[in-house]
């Protein structure tokens, strides 16, 4: 069972940047993704990346967020630029050991505990 640990959350002013990291306990061919849940809202997808490196983004973050991974370090990243108030949420890393990749939370098998991102004005 893969363990995922997110780091990098924090508080930032609107327009600022943060980079989230997600360390996986083992290597493999994974579909990995970032999801978030804001207070009072359902969890939503932010971005996913397949084992081959193909990426998909939510419309709300396109052009501002970049998902990437370092296979040598078993680490997933989310670079978040031009942060907005509405990006405030708990951000979760997710993974599934497969060559396929779908942009929905029910597809993923493993989840981290999350890291909080708070954007203020």
């Amino acid at each position: 069972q893969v363990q995922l640990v997110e780091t990098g959350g924090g508080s930032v002013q609107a327009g600022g940047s943060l980079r989230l990291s997600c360390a996986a306990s083992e290597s493999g061919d994974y579909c990995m993704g970032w999801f978030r849940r804001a207070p009072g809202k359902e969890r939503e997808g932010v971005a996913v990346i397949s084992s081959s490196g193909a990426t998909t983004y939510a419309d709300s973050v396109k052009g501002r967020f970049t998902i990437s991974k370092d296979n040598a370090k078993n680490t997933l990243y989310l670079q978040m630029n031009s942060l907005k108030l509405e990006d405030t949420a708990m951000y979760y890393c997710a993974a599934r050991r497969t060559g396929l990749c779908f942009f929905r939370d029910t597809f993923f098998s493993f989840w981290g505990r999350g890291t909080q991102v708070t954007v203020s004005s």
Side-chain angles (χ1 to χ4, degrees), residues 29-33 35 43 47-51 94-111:
D29 290 333
Y30 293 100
C31 170
M32 299 190 75
F35 292 79
R43 185 167 57 191
V48 299
I49 185 167
S50 72
S51 58
R96 176 169 174 169
R97 195 191 299 269
T98 175
L100 302 175
C101 211
F102 293 99
F103 195 69
R104 59 176 187 264
D105 58 355
T106 54
F107 174 76
F108 290 87
S109 306
F110 306 108
W111 291 85

Side-chain angles (χ1 to χ4, degrees), residues 86-99:
E86 52 264 40
D87 294 320
T88 294
M90 183 71 79
Y91 284 71
Y92 298 91
C93 173
R96 176 169 174 169
R97 195 191 299 269
T98 175

